[in-house]
């Protein structure tokens, strides 16, 4: 490939990956891979500066502010760091510094894998917390920051203005607990603590963020009016004296000691409460920092050393195939337990049949495992030299390992699917999904109860749940009369969740929460939806041709018809219910002010009330949000005085659409 096409490919791949990572919090590329590609692009751009485009990922720090939070301009930019990947490069950095400066001491610190925030205090009082965004402009997440217990709201010193910068993260133990809960509730899992922290800090409702138990390590003093310091370590001491949790750091003056400290930090990562994605080396003297200055986006006086993802070999004991809720067969390897990046690994994903064939992974093989930021380890490759005699290529099962029905390969991809209509594997997942919080929200009917119900033959479809009696449930292990009674009540209560949730709960392929809402809003009732042609479905914004085909296919299957019949018989609501948005604003009070464009005041108030909230005419401490339209006056002023969050009309509309 010539350099021009290589640069273009790199730019495109990195932009897409950066968007998924920074904006959607849903990364598709390993961080290490991303950093390496970025470095390659930087190299090429250095050789061919005439080819640098303004939209190149090297030209920005990454991440744009989302529209749903107010934007904040950082008085002191939140810079990025230059990455290096080897001890030699650390030495080179030290050489550069030593050539430019007299005597250099370095601070070596763990690089916390979280989200960078700036915290501002006026006269010793916390006034604003903002995310990094693109480094110049971030998002105002003040209310969420307030929920982080380790961040002081008042400081002993009352400097007119103080800004510190730190990394917000979700402690590893909190992350594991959260994911376990999400799994039990049938909700999607966070890929890693960084995503969980990002997702939490960007919650529009601070109460959700509060439950996530985020923490912080402050690593820089951005601005301190009325104080001067000579070194970075002095600033960290000062920050710590003001009640912040600061980054652990060591000051060293020889490059080889710096490298040794980097190794030591890497080995201690298991003991740290946060994920670490590197080590940061910084010049300690603040006047020396000023002397070398910064490039357009990174300081010259610091580097981030990126550890290669840890890899370990282990032997394949077994290849097993699991069947998911939608019937997809996913293979994984069971390996001899091995300690990898802080956890004991006993299995790793194999993605699909093609992956196994391409790598020729066999039972008995020694495979190299890797875990880089993600919780699920993967197989990097097979050490063919270590292959024992007599192994055979793995053959993917032709029938479902759970129900024995034939499997088929999807026309549009690598996925292999079970065709068994009543496959118990699918039934368990289907029912768990059906009862999960975001679907029919049936409290007390979790995976363990569902497992027993299936084993006892009490349920074969979600509709059977509605015909269970207290006695049947009380018979289950660890149930008891009282919880059986509660479960029956919870099942009955779920009948009124409305069409939007029902459609999601049914587990129709490609129909998630959003599509459920869109379809319910468009058709109003199940019967109207059942009449819709594929063309009508495709014509709806956000419903693509493939989804439309899946919906039609689902509607036409005899089992679905039977299921819907039984659900109707049980009295499950088939109508789009306004109340079904019911609880979204429970306990919240809104005040509307100024002229709204999309709604009249009355409409907006009705929408708030339909979601369980209150619309009030005057701003007080009890107000949760003020929605401010054009020319908002005194109410907006009052809200600002009281520190009540203010939403624009767009933000309000986005909340309604959630
Ligand atoms: P990058 O995003 O790869 O450019 O790396 C820079 C980011 O590392 C900064 O935005 C900080 O959020 C983060 N970071 C984590 N720990 C530290 C630390 N000890 N010193 C400086 N930056 C840190």
């Amino acid at each position: 490939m010539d350099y021009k096409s290589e640069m273009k490919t790199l730019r495109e791949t990195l932009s897409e990956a950066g968007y998924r990572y920074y904006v959607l919090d849903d990364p598709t590329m390993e961080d290490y891979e991303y950093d390496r590609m970025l470095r390659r692009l930087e190299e090429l751009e250095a050789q061919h500066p005439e080819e640098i485009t303004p939209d190149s990922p090297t030209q920005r720090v990454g991440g744009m502010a989302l529209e749903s939070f107010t934007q904040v301009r950082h008085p002191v930019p939140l810079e990025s760091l230059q990455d290096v990947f080897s001890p030699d490069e650390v030495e080179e950095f030290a050489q550069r510094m030593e050539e430019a400066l007299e005597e250099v001491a370095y601070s070596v610190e763990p690089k916390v894998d979280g989200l960078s925030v700036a915290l501002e205090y006026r006269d010793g009082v916390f006034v604003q917390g903002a995310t990094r965004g693109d480094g110049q402009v971030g998002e105002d997440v003040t209310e969420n920051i307030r929920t982080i217990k380790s961040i002081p709201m008042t400081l002993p010193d009352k400097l007119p203005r103080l800004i510190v910068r730190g990394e917000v993260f979700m402690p590893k133990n909190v992350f594991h607990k959260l994911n376990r809960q999400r799994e039990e509730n049938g909700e999607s899992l966070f890929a890693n603590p960084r995503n969980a922290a990002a997702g939490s800090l960007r919650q529009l409702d601070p109460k959700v963020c509060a439950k996530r138990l985020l923490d912080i390590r402050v690593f820089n003093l951005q601005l301190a009016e009325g104080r001067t310091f000579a070194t970075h370590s002095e600033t960290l001491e000062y920050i710590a004296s003001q009640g912040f949790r600061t980054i652990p750091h060591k000051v060293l003056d020889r490059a080889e000691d710096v490298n040794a400290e980097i190794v030591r930090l890497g080995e201690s990562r298991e003991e740290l409460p946060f994920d670490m994605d590197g080590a940061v080396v910084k010049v300690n003297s603040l006047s020396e920092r000023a002397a070398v200055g910064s490039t357009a986006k990174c300081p010259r006086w610091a580097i981030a050393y990126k550890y290669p993802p840890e890899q370990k070999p282990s032997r394949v004991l077994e290849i097993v195939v699991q069947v998911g809720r939608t019937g997809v067969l996913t293979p994984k390897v069971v390996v001899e337990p091995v300690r990898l990046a802080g956890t004991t690994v006993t299995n790793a994903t194999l993605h699909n049949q093609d992956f196994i064939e391409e790598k020729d992974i066999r039972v008995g093989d020694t495979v190299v495992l890797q875990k880089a930021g993600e919780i699920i380890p993967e197989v990097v490759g097979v050490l063919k030299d270590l292959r024992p005699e007599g192994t055979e290529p793995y053959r993917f099962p032709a029938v479902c390992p759970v129900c024995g029905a034939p499997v088929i390969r999807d026309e549009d991809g690598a996925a292999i699917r079970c065709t068994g209509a009543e496959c118990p594997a699918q039934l368990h997942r289907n029912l768990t999904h059906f009862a999960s919080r975001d679907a029919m929200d049936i409290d007390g009917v979790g995976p363990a109860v569902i497992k027993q119900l299936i084993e006892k033959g009490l349920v074969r479809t979600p509709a059977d749940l509605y015909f269970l009696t207290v006695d049947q449930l009380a018979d289950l292990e660890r149930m008891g009369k009282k919880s059986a009674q509660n479960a029956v009540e919870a099942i009955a209560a779920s009948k009124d969740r409305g069409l939007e949730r029902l459609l999601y709960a049914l587990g129709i392929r490609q129909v998630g929460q959003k599509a459920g809402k869109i379809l319910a809003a468009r058709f109003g009732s199940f019967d109207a939806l059942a009449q819709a042609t594929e063309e009508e479905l495709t014509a709806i914004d956000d419903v693509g041709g493939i989804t439309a085909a899946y919906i039609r296919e689902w509607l036409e299957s005899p089992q679905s018809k039977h299921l819907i019949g039984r659900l109707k018989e049980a009295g499950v609501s088939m109508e789009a219910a306004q109340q079904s948005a019911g609880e979204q604003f429970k306990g919240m009070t809104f005040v509307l002010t100024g002229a709204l464009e999309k709604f009249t005041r009355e409409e907006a108030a009705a929408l708030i009330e339909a979601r369980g909230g209150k619309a009030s005419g005057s701003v007080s401490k009890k107000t949760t949000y003020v929605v401010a339209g054009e020319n908002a006056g005194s109410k907006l002023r009052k809200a600002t005085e009281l520190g009540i969050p203010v939403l624009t009309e767009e933000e309000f509309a986005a909340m309604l659409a959630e």
Side-chain angles (χ1 to χ4, degrees):
M1 210 191 304
D2 64 79
Y3 69 84
K4 281 189 190 170
S5 341
E6 185 181 355
M7 288 171 84
K8 181 160 181 282
T9 312
L10 283 167
R11 271 198 307 269
E12 285 168 4
T13 318
L14 287 165
S15 299
E16 169 64 17
Y19 172 74
R20 309 231 18 142
Y21 184 92
Y22 286 107
V23 181
L24 303 182
D25 297 322
D26 179 20
T28 44
M29 192 188 276
E30 295 293 352
D31 291 0
Y32 191 73
E33 186 58 25
Y34 180 91
D35 296 337
R36 294 220 75 131
M37 285 175 82
L38 192 64
R39 252 289 281 279
R40 173 76 187 138
L41 181 58
E42 281 169 353
E43 266 166 37
L44 288 170
E45 287 182 346
Q47 286 161 20
H48 310 282
E50 74 289 354
E51 291 299 326
I52 301 179
T53 61
D55 66 347
S56 166
T58 59
Q59 303 302 301
R60 57 178 208 160
V61 187
M64 351 164 176
L66 294 171
E67 276 170 10
S68 38
F69 287 100
T70 320
Q71 300 198 335
V72 188
R73 179 160 288 279
H74 298 296
V76 182
L78 272 59
E79 290 175 308
S80 189
L81 290 169
Q82 177 67 44
D83 288 339
V84 303
F85 298 89
S86 71
D88 283 350
E89 287 180 281
V90 175
E91 298 246 358
E92 283 161 25
F93 163 73
Q95 256 166 27
R96 280 201 303 280
M97 291 302 110
E98 276 146 40
E99 274 160 26
L101 305 164
E102 297 270 294
E103 267 172 53
V104 193
Y106 305 94
S107 170
V108 186
E109 311 166 1
K111 184 162 184 286
V112 183
D113 193 11
L115 265 102
S116 208
V117 295
L119 310 175
E120 179 167 350
Y121 295 76
R122 298 263 181 166
D123 303 318
V125 178
F126 173 68
V127 291
Q128 189 169 66
T131 62
R132 179 165 90 164
D134 66 2
Q136 305 289 338
V137 177
E139 296 162 354
D140 183 339
V141 288
T142 307
E143 294 314 307
N144 285 339
I145 289 288
R146 282 186 207 285
T147 71
I148 303 177
K149 299 263 172 26
S150 52
I151 296 179
M153 291 293 108
T154 54
L155 309 178
D157 279 3
K158 311 291 174 206
L159 299 188
R161 195 172 188 198
L162 174 101
I163 303 179
V164 296
R165 176 174 177 192
E167 198 82 353
V168 167
F169 63 93
M170 180 175 286
K172 289 190 275 195
N173 57 351
V174 176
F175 167 74
H176 291 300
K177 203 165 143 206
L178 176 69
N179 255 358
R180 268 202 305 279
Q181 276 169 1
R182 292 180 74 88
E183 190 163 18
E184 277 169 22
N185 294 332
E187 293 161 328
S188 62
L189 301 188
F190 287 113
N192 54 42
R194 203 205 78 84
N195 287 295
S200 307
L201 206 58
R202 289 205 179 131
Q203 287 287 335
L204 286 169
D205 179 1
K207 286 196 222 65
V208 180
C209 182
K211 289 199 200 112
R212 300 285 172 80
L213 307 176
L214 301 177
D215 197 353
I216 192 168
R217 292 294 175 274
V218 173
F219 61 77
N220 200 49
L221 180 66
Q222 302 286 97
L223 186 154
E225 257 174 40
R227 288 283 313 232
T228 47
F229 300 91
T231 62
H232 174 60
S233 33
E234 272 176 29
T235 63
L236 288 181
E237 265 164 47
Y238 177 72
I239 294 169
S241 78
Q242 298 302 299
F244 293 94
R245 282 196 176 153
T246 48
I247 194 84
H249 72 294
K250 227 182 207 149
V251 179
L252 299 160
D253 43 32
R254 286 172 37 213
E256 54 186 295
D257 295 337
V258 167
N259 268 324
E261 176 62 10
I262 290 176
V263 173
R264 194 197 62 79
L265 271 177
E267 283 165 358
S268 74
R269 65 197 318 164
E270 272 193 44
E271 293 138 40
L272 298 171
F274 44 79
D275 266 352
M276 185 173 89
D277 70 335
V280 188
V281 183
K282 303 169 176 170
V283 169
N284 196 36
S285 151
L286 300 182
S287 56
E288 288 181 346
R289 286 186 182 184
V292 290
S294 295
T295 66
K297 62 178 197 121
C298 298
R300 288 201 185 82
W301 43 262
I303 46 166
Y305 173 87
K306 292 288 173 95
Y307 296 95
E310 203 186 340
Q311 298 189 339
K312 286 257 180 80
S314 184
R315 217 165 56 84
V316 177
L317 301 174
E318 206 185 339
I319 296 178
V320 293
V321 173
Q322 291 174 324
V323 186
R325 185 172 64 77
T326 54
V328 177
L329 275 61
T330 34
K332 60 176 196 176
V333 273
V334 181
V335 293
E336 271 171 3
V338 42
R339 204 72 196 152
L340 186 64
T343 53
T344 302
V345 170
T346 53
N347 53 60
T349 175
L350 292 176
H351 306 290
N352 52 45
Q353 182 180 19
D354 296 345
F355 184 85
I356 306 181
E357 281 175 6
E358 207 176 285
K359 298 221 151 47
D360 186 17
I361 300 163
R362 305 179 183 191
V363 175
D365 269 344
T366 302
V367 290
V368 176
L369 300 169
Q370 163 176 310
K371 210 172 70 169
E374 309 299 297
I375 29 176
I376 305 170
E378 43 173 31
V379 174
V380 185
V382 175
L383 299 174
K384 297 256 166 74
D385 295 348
L386 298 181
R387 176 170 283 169
E389 272 180 35
T391 61
E392 291 195 4
Y394 177 73
R395 296 188 52 155
F396 211 79
V399 297
C400 169
V402 178
C403 74
V407 298
I408 49 158
R409 186 184 263 259
D410 269 9
E411 283 159 29
D412 54 351
I416 295 195
R417 214 174 278 277
C418 162
T419 55
E422 310 231 315
C423 176
Q426 295 182 59
L427 182 56
H428 186 261
R429 302 270 182 134
N430 279 337
L431 285 171
T432 312
H433 171 73
F434 186 85
S436 67
R437 182 144 13 114
D438 294 336
M440 299 303 264
D441 191 15
I442 308 181
D443 226 19
V445 183
V449 171
I450 290 171
K451 184 159 175 269
Q452 295 187 62
L453 290 172
I454 295 172
E455 280 166 7
K456 289 200 164 39
L458 290 170
V459 292
R460 245 178 252 113
T461 75
D464 294 338
L465 290 174
Y466 294 96
F467 297 90
L468 290 170
T469 64
V470 175
D471 287 344
Q472 283 173 324
L473 279 159
D475 258 3
L476 303 182
E477 268 168 47
R478 287 190 290 157
M479 242 313 182
K481 198 94 187 171
K482 183 80 191 105
S483 28
Q485 182 68 44
N486 290 342
V488 167
E489 279 164 22
I491 294 171
S494 78
K495 290 180 188 175
D496 297 323
R497 297 281 181 251
L499 183 63
E500 35 283 87
R501 279 173 175 249
L502 178 65
L503 290 174
Y504 170 61
L506 290 170
I508 304 166
R509 275 171 76 189
Q510 303 269 2
V511 179
Q513 279 173 281
K514 189 168 163 210
K517 281 188 191 137
I518 292 170
L519 292 167
R522 166 74 176 74
F523 294 101
S525 74
F526 184 87
D527 292 338
L529 169 67
Q531 304 287 325
T533 62
E534 211 169 304
E535 290 69 49
E536 283 173 284
L537 290 167
T538 312
I540 302 172
D541 272 352
D542 292 316
V543 177
I546 298 177
T547 311
Y550 285 144
I551 297 172
R552 268 314 333 156
E553 189 188 355
W554 192 91
L555 290 168
E556 264 145 47
S557 100
Q559 280 129 8
S560 312
K561 288 188 177 147
H562 180 72
L563 174 62
I564 292 296
R566 291 261 293 156
L567 286 169
K568 282 183 178 167
E569 196 184 312
V572 174
S573 161
M574 298 278 152
E575 313 294 316
Q578 275 214 332
Q579 304 89 297
S580 72
E583 307 270 274
Q584 189 192 0
F585 292 163
K586 198 171 160 195
M588 299 190 191
T589 306
F590 289 72
V591 173
L592 303 160
T593 174
L596 303 179
E597 277 177 17
K598 293 193 190 124
F599 324 87
T600 64
R601 287 264 179 100
E602 292 68 38
E603 277 165 3
L607 288 164
I608 291 166
E609 276 153 21
R611 286 163 175 74
K614 260 198 243 137
S616 156
S618 60
V619 180
S620 77
K621 276 201 202 124
K622 294 204 182 113
T623 310
T624 323
Y625 288 110
V626 169
V627 182
E630 283 295 306
N631 301 322
S634 65
K635 289 182 196 167
L636 178 57
R637 259 199 313 281
K638 180 108 189 262
T640 323
E641 272 167 33
L642 292 176
I644 311 263
V646 177
L647 302 174
T648 63
E649 184 172 353
E650 284 79 60
E651 287 166 347
F652 174 63
M655 263 170 111
L656 291 174
E658 252 175 46

